[in-house]
Amino acid sequence: MTDREFWEWYQDPITDIYYEDLSLTGLFARFEIFPGRNKENIQGALDFAYRLVKCSLAKFDVLPEDDHPYLIIDKLSKNIPVDSKGLGVWETYQFYLIEKGMALVEECNLKEETEEVSPLFKAKLTAMFEEHGVGFDKKAFVPIQY
């Protein structure tokens, strides 16, 4: 993963959800998640969520019937945002950092917006992903289904 890709797919979105809950379509609007035109980017958004959940960095704001984050990711994989129904599902679930994720942002001094990659943040996040078996060499943890 290049530094630019890392910034676009991880550092910038994580900094965004440090400050406010956002849907995955909101986080990755620049990648045409809606209207479902780019399968690779939709999968990338799901992989982002899966990695952060797996590493206990972030969570979804859940409805009572959706008590497990992997069920939400599975639901998202089946409801691609190509129409109002699919977009509704993707917009329902807001994503946010939890204590461990917020501490990582603070430790790496990412509270200020920047377009520069933080080498410390990239190293720490990469190591954390590797430790949890969700490194950048892996993808499609929950494959999109369309």
Side-chain angles (χ1 to χ4, degrees):
M1 173 172 284
T2 67
D3 277 354
R4 185 68 191 168
E5 290 168 331
F6 178 82
W7 182 86
E8 290 177 332
W9 279 99
Y10 287 88
Q11 185 174 308
D12 187 50
I14 288 172
T15 302
D16 288 346
I17 59 175
Y18 176 85
Y19 291 102
E20 65 180 311
D21 302 359
L22 290 168
S23 68
L24 293 179
T25 51
L27 273 176
F28 298 110
R30 63 180 162 238
F31 294 115
E32 295 186 340
I33 300 301
F34 175 76
R37 291 189 180 130
N38 190 315
K39 289 181 180 183
E40 183 178 339
N41 289 346
I42 293 169
Q43 186 65 64
L46 287 178
D47 289 349
F48 167 89
Y50 188 92
R51 284 182 174 110
L52 268 61
V53 166
K54 183 77 173 174
C55 296
S56 301
L57 296 171
K59 292 174 95 172
F60 286 99
D61 190 11
V62 297
L63 300 172
E65 67 270 15
D66 297 318
D67 62 353
H68 198 280
Y70 299 114
L71 293 176
I72 295 169
I73 294 170
D74 185 60
K75 185 183 277 190
L76 294 174
S77 76
K78 295 173 183 168
N79 289 280
I80 304 306
V82 295
D83 56 26
S84 60
K85 178 185 177 270
L87 180 61
V89 171
W90 277 64
E91 286 295 314
T92 295
Y93 301 103
Q94 301 295 298
F95 204 55
Y96 63 97
L97 289 182
I98 55 179
E99 190 174 312
K100 184 177 174 183
M102 294 182 87
L104 180 63
V105 167
E106 291 166 3
E107 178 183 352
C108 296
N109 297 315
L110 290 177
K111 290 170 64 174
E112 300 296 321
E113 289 207 24
T114 179
E115 290 202 22
E116 306 232 349
V117 170
S118 164
L120 176 62
F121 181 70
K122 186 174 183 181
K124 285 184 170 287
L125 196 63
T126 300
M128 198 176 297
F129 288 173
E130 288 296 324
E131 177 183 331
H132 287 87
V134 291
F136 290 120
D137 60 328
K138 299 172 183 74
K139 60 183 180 177
F141 304 102
V142 178
I144 57 171
Q145 299 178 32
Y146 84 108

